[in-house]
Amino acid sequence: MVLDLQDATTTLAESVSRSQIRLLGSSSQPLAITPGDEDVDSDPSDTESEERSLHSDGDHSRGDPDEEEQDEDELFTFKNKETPTASETFDQSKEPLGVENTSSWEDELFLDTFRGLFITGSNEDIEGASEGGDFEDMEASGDGPDSNEADDTVNDADAIREKTLAAKKEALKRKFDQQYDDPEEAKMSFYDEKKEEFAQQLRMNRQEFEDVDQQTRALVEGYRPGSYVRVELVDVPCELVDNFDPSYPIILGGLLPAEERFGILQVRIKRHRWFAKTLKTNDPLIFSLGWRRFQSIPIYSLDDHSIRMRMLKYTPEHMHCYATFYGPVSLPNTGFCAFNSVSDSIPGFRISATGVVLDIDKSTKIVKKLKLTGVPYKIFKNTAFIKDMFNSALEVAKFEGANIKTVSGIRGQIKKAQAKPEGAFRATFEDKILMSDIVFLRAWYSIQPRQFYNPVTSLLLREKKWEGMRLTGQVRKESDLSAPQNINSTYKVLSFLSSCSSFELNSPP
C-alpha cells in the first residue's frame, strides 16, 4: 500500500478542524475561530457570517452521522491501484472463474438435468432430466406426420439411452458392493471360478462357430461334451476284447509325453487317520497317481537334520514322512492316494495313505542305521585287536578311521586290517579295555528302492477283481504254512535245572 504523506497530513488537519468546529457548535454561545498563524482584526459583519456558517455546519454534522463515518474512513487513502504486470501473473492452466459464472450452479433445475448421470442419482432423476431438458420447437406446428415420427424417434433414443445407463449404473453399483461391502462373500470358490470360466468360453465358442458346420467345428474346437464319438484303440491286449463287459464303465484319459517315462519318485506321504494298520517299509502298496493305478514297493524315510535321509521301518504316527519308490514319472505337486488292496470284500476303511509328489530324483540316497559288534582277542595297553566284526580285509579297509566304542564307554578308532584271522583289525582306545568288553560300530549304509512296477489290469479279467503281489504272511496263511523258526531262539528246559527241581522234590523236609 502506497500512501502520500502530504495528503495524509492534510486529511488529518481537516478532521481535527471539523472536530473543533463540532465542539464549538455544540456550545451555548457562538465563538469565532481564527487561524492561529494570522493576527488580523476581523470585521463584525464577517464575524456574524462566520458564526452563522459555524452554526449551520454544527447542525449539519449532528444531523448526518453516516457522513462522519465516511470522513473518518478516508483518513488513509490509496495513492493509486497498480495492476500486476505480466511477470507477476500466477502460473495457471485454466482460466480464472469469476463469481458471476458460478451463479448457474445454484439453480436446482439446472443441477437436476445431469444429476442422474452420477452413481448417487436414480432413474427418477434421469426421467425428470429428460422431461425437463427436452428441446421444444415453439415455431413448429406439431400437427404433421413428420413431427410425430420425430417425437417417436427421440423417445426411442431416450429410452435406449436410459436403459443402457441404468444397466451400467447397476453393474458399477454391484462391483462397488462386491469390493467394499463384504469382500469375503464376494470371493468365489475355485470350483465356481472354473465353472464360470468354462461357461464363458462355451458362450464365446457358440457365438464364434454359430454359422460353421459340425465337421469343421469338430476339427477346430473338438467334440462337445455329451456327443457320441467313435474311438479307435491300438495295441490293446486280446483279454480286453474277450472279457469285455458293456455294463462296466471304462474311463479314457491321455498322458503327457513326459509321463511316459519311468524313474524313482520321491513323495510326501501320511498314513490316513482312519486306517487301522501301520505301513511298513518294503511292503507292496497300490498307488492311484494321475491316470494310472499300479503297485510298487516304497521305502519310508525321514530327513535327519538336513544331513541324510534316514530310513524308517514303519510310518510315524500322525505326521508326514518321505517315501521313495519306482514308478511312472509324474509332475510335482500331483496328489495321490494309496491302498493295500482294491478288493471290495475287505471290511473297514481301505485308503491307506495320501500324499503329494515332491521331486523326480534318481540320485536320492537313503541310508539305514547299522550296528556291528566285535570282541577283543589280544590287548596291549591302549591297543587291542578286534575280531568277529567284519568278514574280510576289504570291509575293514572301507571303515578305516571310523569311530568305535565299548559297552563301558571307552572310545576308540579303527586303524588297520590284520592278515589273520580274516576280518580282524587293530584299534586304539582312550584307555585299556578288558577282554570281557564288547566293541560296537555305529555306521550307515545306503539302500536303493526295488524297481517293481505292477499295473492294475482289472479290465483284462472276467470278474474284474484284480489281486496284486501279496505279503509273505498272507501267502503262508492261505497255504496253511507256519513261519520258520530258529532252533537257537526257542526256549528249552535245561537238564541241570530239571535235576535240581527233582532233587528238591525227593529230598526230605
Side-chain angles (χ1 to χ4, degrees):
M1 184 182 294
V2 181
L3 297 176
D4 193 349
L5 184 57
Q6 185 177 359
D7 295 341
T9 306
T10 306
T11 307
L12 181 60
E14 291 177 356
S15 62
V16 171
S17 62
R18 290 195 190 98
S19 62
Q20 292 176 355
I21 294 171
R22 213 175 286 122
L23 291 173
L24 292 174
S26 62
S27 60
S28 59
Q29 295 180 0
L31 298 177
I33 303 299
T34 59
D37 295 340
E38 298 178 358
D39 190 6
V40 181
D41 295 333
S42 58
D43 188 39
S45 60
D46 296 336
T47 303
E48 294 177 0
S49 63
E50 288 177 0
E51 289 178 359
R52 285 194 299 272
S53 63
L54 289 175
H55 283 289
S56 64
D57 291 340
D59 297 337
H60 184 271
S61 63
R62 284 192 301 270
D64 193 1
D66 295 337
E67 185 177 355
E68 296 176 4
E69 294 179 359
Q70 185 176 2
D71 294 338
E72 292 179 359
D73 291 341
E74 292 179 356
L75 179 60
F76 298 98
T77 57
F78 290 99
K79 181 178 181 182
N80 58 347
K81 297 182 179 179
E82 297 181 357
T83 57
T85 60
S87 60
E88 296 178 356
T89 305
F90 295 104
D91 186 12
Q92 55 188 7
S93 58
K94 296 182 179 180
E95 296 182 0
L97 184 64
V99 180
E100 62 277 1
N101 298 331
T102 59
S103 59
S104 59
W105 293 94
E106 298 178 358
D107 187 5
E108 293 295 334
L109 296 177
F110 174 70
L111 297 178
D112 291 339
T113 57
F114 57 88
R115 192 187 303 275
L117 301 177
F118 294 91
I119 282 253
T120 55
S122 60
N123 295 331
E124 297 178 357
D125 298 334
I126 299 176
E127 295 174 359
S130 61
E131 292 175 359
D134 290 342
F135 174 75
E136 182 178 359
D137 191 0
M138 302 300 295
E139 296 179 358
S141 61
D143 297 334
D146 296 339
S147 62
N148 295 331
E149 293 179 359
D151 293 340
D152 295 340
T153 304
V154 171
N155 293 333
D156 294 341
D158 292 341
I160 294 173
R161 185 176 64 84
E162 292 174 4
K163 186 181 296 184
T164 305
L165 189 59
K168 185 177 180 181
K169 285 172 52 180
E170 185 67 24
L172 291 174
K173 187 175 181 181
R174 193 185 312 113
K175 184 177 180 181
F176 179 83
D177 294 341
Q178 291 178 357
Q179 292 180 354
Y180 295 98
D181 288 354
D182 193 358
E184 296 297 331
E185 185 179 356
K187 291 182 180 179
M188 299 175 62
S189 62
F190 178 79
Y191 175 76
D192 295 336
E193 289 181 359
K194 290 300 179 182
K195 189 175 179 180
E196 182 66 23
E197 183 179 349
F198 292 155
Q200 184 178 0
Q201 185 66 35
L202 184 61
R203 290 193 297 268
M204 293 173 60
N205 293 344
R206 287 178 179 175
Q207 295 177 0
E208 186 69 24
F209 300 104
E210 187 175 2
D211 300 331
V212 182
D213 57 338
Q214 295 294 332
Q215 296 181 355
T216 307
R217 182 172 181 177
L219 293 175
V220 177
E221 183 188 9
Y223 292 98
R224 289 177 292 176
S227 303
Y228 287 94
V229 295
R230 180 179 179 181
V231 182
E232 182 179 356
L233 304 177
V234 297
D235 298 335
V236 178
C238 61
E239 290 82 3
L240 180 63
V241 180
D242 297 338
N243 302 325
F244 179 73
D245 186 4
S247 62
Y248 194 84
I250 298 177
I251 300 176
L252 298 180
L255 297 176
L256 298 176
E259 295 178 346
E260 297 180 358
R261 298 183 292 108
F262 286 81
I264 303 297
L265 275 73
Q266 185 178 14
V267 301
R268 184 174 63 245
I269 193 171
K270 181 182 179 181
R271 183 176 68 88
H272 202 281
R273 66 177 67 184
W274 293 347
F275 191 72
K277 298 181 180 179
T278 303
L279 304 180
K280 185 180 178 181
T281 295
N282 288 330
D283 280 355
L285 205 62
I286 301 173
F287 294 93
S288 177
L289 180 61
W291 289 105
R292 288 188 173 103
R293 288 191 305 167
F294 58 93
Q295 190 179 35
S296 186
I297 300 177
I299 296 178
Y300 305 112
S301 59
L302 201 61
D303 190 4
D304 192 5
H305 302 288
S306 301
I307 299 175
R308 63 181 70 89
M309 296 294 294
R310 181 167 56 88
M311 191 200 78
L312 299 177
K313 192 173 183 180
Y314 301 98
T315 54
E317 290 287 341
H318 310 296
M319 65 178 296
H320 290 86
C321 67
Y322 296 102
T324 306
F325 59 89
Y326 178 81
V329 174
S330 300
L331 297 177
N333 296 327
T334 303
F336 68 90
C337 58
F339 307 86
N340 277 2
S341 176
V342 293
S343 176
D344 54 357
S345 61
I346 298 177
F349 199 73
R350 292 189 298 171
I351 298 178
S352 304
T354 57
V356 64
V357 178
L358 292 182
D359 195 7
I360 308 167
D361 189 5
K362 296 182 179 180
S363 63
T364 302
K365 185 177 181 181
I366 303 174
V367 294
K368 182 181 179 180
K369 185 186 294 184
L370 177 65
K371 182 182 286 187
L372 303 176
T373 60
V375 294
Y377 68 92
K378 193 183 295 185
I379 299 174
F380 298 100
K381 292 186 179 180
N382 293 350
T383 302
F385 294 90
I386 312 298
K387 64 177 181 179
D388 298 339
M389 184 177 288
F390 301 106
N391 295 323
S392 63
L394 183 61
E395 294 181 1
V396 177
K398 188 176 181 180
F399 286 92
E400 284 185 1
N403 296 325
I404 56 178
K405 192 177 182 180
T406 63
V407 178
S408 59
I410 302 174
R411 294 174 296 183
Q413 189 176 18
I414 298 175
K415 290 300 183 180
K416 191 176 182 181
Q418 298 295 314
K420 291 184 180 181
E422 192 70 21
F425 61 92
R426 178 174 58 88
T428 58
F429 294 89
E430 296 176 342
D431 197 1
K432 186 177 181 179
I433 64 174
L434 303 176
M435 292 294 293
S436 61
D437 282 337
I438 298 176
V439 182
F440 60 90
L441 168 67
R442 289 181 177 177
W444 304 89
Y445 76 99
S446 61
I447 55 176
Q448 294 294 332
R450 300 176 184 177
Q451 294 188 3
F452 176 75
Y453 173 78
N454 186 17
V456 178
T457 57
S458 58
L459 295 177
L460 305 181
L461 304 176
R462 185 176 300 276
E463 299 297 333
K464 309 303 181 196
K465 294 182 179 180
W466 181 85
E467 186 177 2
M469 185 176 64
R470 296 172 295 174
L471 297 176
T472 306
Q474 295 177 355
V475 175
R476 288 172 182 165
K477 182 179 179 181
E478 294 175 0
S479 302
D480 196 12
L481 299 175
S482 59
Q485 296 181 357
N486 188 2
I487 192 172
N488 296 325
S489 300
T490 57
Y491 292 97
K492 300 177 182 179
V493 179
L494 298 179
S495 58
F496 72 93
L497 289 178
S498 60
S499 61
C500 292
S501 60
S502 61
F503 175 75
E504 290 178 356
L505 292 175
N506 295 329
S507 61

